[in-house]
Amino acid sequence: MIPATIGDFVFNDLDHDGLQDSGELGIEGVEIRIYDVGGYLLDTVYSDADGYYIITDIAPGDYVIEFVKPAGYTYSFSNPLLDEATDNDADTITGRTEVTVRSGDVIDYIDGGFIEF
């Protein structure tokens, strides 16, 4: 088994369309949690100064990624165009998304979009 990684970007969705557009900056310090499918919290990481995050050393299996809503924000629309590279993957109510990981995977497209209010 080769450990896998999950990560990508947490962004401020300025035009509220659920997609990362040019000029939409990352959000620093957003808490991202990874759970097994039984609901057990496995790890917590935070987005960096540019809005990026990475979770490493993940065994193959099914997981839930949760983007914790920062103060002053709400969740953006989820998967509006099913464009893995630029869409918000966080559910609009729970901030969660499910992902299946295989040995050695580098899953670099799990994004969290937020709307500032």
Side-chain angles (χ1 to χ4, degrees):
M1 185 234 19
I2 301 170
T5 61
I6 297 173
D8 204 13
F9 193 54
V10 180
F11 65 100
N12 185 0
D13 189 9
L14 297 174
D15 61 0
H16 308 185
D17 67 354
L19 296 170
Q20 301 166 39
D21 299 307
S22 178
E24 292 182 336
L25 302 176
I27 305 171
E28 179 179 8
V30 174
E31 182 177 351
I32 300 105
R33 301 173 183 161
I34 183 169
Y35 298 88
D36 66 16
V37 291
Y40 181 77
L41 178 63
L42 301 172
D43 198 5
T44 300
V45 298
Y46 295 86
S47 56
D48 68 15
D50 296 316
Y52 292 97
Y53 77 95
I54 189 164
I55 305 167
T56 59
D57 297 324
I58 302 168
D62 295 321
Y63 297 94
V64 174
I65 305 298
E66 177 184 14
F67 296 89
V68 177
K69 187 171 32 178
Y73 288 87
T74 190
Y75 296 110
S76 184
F77 296 105
S78 180
N79 287 324
L81 299 175
L82 298 176
D83 181 351
E84 290 297 346
T86 63
D87 66 347
N88 169 41
D89 294 294
D91 180 82
T92 57
I93 296 171
T94 66
R96 294 180 171 203
T97 188
E98 296 180 11
V99 61
T100 297
V101 175
R102 292 186 263 307
S103 181
D105 275 354
V106 176
I107 300 173
D108 59 356
Y109 53 80
I110 305 297
D111 303 304
F114 292 94
I115 297 170
E116 191 170 16
F117 59 85

